[in-house]
């Protein structure tokens, strides 16, 4: 089994301390980092420059695609593939396609939301390297953690450790990813 570095984890005791550290990490130019806290910290999303999720756009795309597919299928079946005049009605009519198309719009959007959420969250991930660290269990109780990933272009083990010490990190540890 090979072991490679996943990142460096620093522990903080208060929401104010990790918010301050997050500002310093952002200002230092790091881009691949995350915070783990027992509760949401007001203002952290602005410090981390988190934008709106793309899940809504994926959901819209799949919903619209499903809607248009059903309209196209109804047009193809009724007006082109098997044209059958019944009672003088037109071969294709928009009102008659609305109900099945709307149902597929809702179903396509729901599937799009699920697929978008799974893909953007990189799921399923059966194990995360941080879960091997015993101290990380406190992230769900009373400790605050900031992790800078080894995939960050600015990542350097000694420099990153030094920077986390300067911003007030306690118990700074290297997290290894065991393949």
């Amino acid at each position: 089994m090979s072991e490679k570095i996943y990142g460096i984890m620093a522990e903080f005791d208060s929401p104010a301390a990790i918010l301050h550290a997050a500002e310093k990490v952002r200002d230092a130019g790091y881009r691949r980092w995350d915070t783990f806290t027992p509760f949401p910290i007001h203002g952290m999303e602005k410090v981390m420059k988190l934008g709106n999720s793309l899940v809504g756009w994926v959901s819209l795309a799949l919903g619209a695609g499903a809607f248009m597919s059903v309209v196209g299928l109804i047009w193809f079946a009724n007006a082109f593939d098997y044209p059958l005049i019944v009672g003088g009605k037109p071969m294709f009519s928009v009102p008659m396609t609305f109900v099945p198309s709307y149902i597929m719009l809702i179903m396509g959007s729901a599937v799009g939301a699920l697929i978008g959420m799974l893909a953007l969250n990189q799921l399923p991930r059966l194990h995360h390297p941080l879960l091997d660290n015993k101290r990380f269990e406190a992230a769900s109780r009373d400790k605050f953690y900031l992790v800078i990933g080894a995939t960050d272009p600015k990542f350097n083990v000694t420099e990153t450790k030094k920077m986390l010490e300067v911003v007030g990190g306690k118990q700074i540890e290297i997290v290894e990813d065991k393949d």
Side-chain angles (χ1 to χ4, degrees), residues 2 31-32 38 45 73 78-79 81 85 97 111 119 132 164 174:
S2 66
R31 293 186 308 198
R32 295 190 179 266
E45 70 280 356
L73 177 66
N78 291 343
D81 188 42
I85 299 174
T97 66
V111 170
D132 287 334
L164 287 171
I174 295 175

Side-chain angles (χ1 to χ4, degrees), residues 6 8-12 14-26 31-50 128 130 136 139-140 143-149 164 167:
Y6 172 76
I8 297 180
M9 177 177 78
E11 181 180 304
F12 297 89
S14 70
I18 195 167
L19 191 61
H20 174 72
E23 289 172 348
K24 296 294 183 186
V25 167
R26 179 201 60 206
R31 293 186 308 198
R32 295 190 179 266
W33 56 279
D34 203 355
T35 58
F36 300 90
T37 62
F39 51 83
I41 298 175
H42 181 71
M44 185 63 79
E45 70 280 356
K46 288 181 184 154
V47 170
M48 294 180 73
K49 295 185 179 178
L50 297 177
H128 196 281
L130 290 172
F136 189 72
S140 62
K143 295 293 181 192
F144 304 86
Y145 293 95
L146 190 143
V147 178
I148 299 177
L164 287 171
V167 298

Side-chain angles (χ1 to χ4, degrees), residues 51-73:
N52 291 331
S53 174
L54 297 175
V55 173
W57 290 106
V58 174
S59 180
L60 175 68
L62 264 68
F67 183 87
M68 295 307 293
S69 296
V70 172
V71 170
L73 177 66

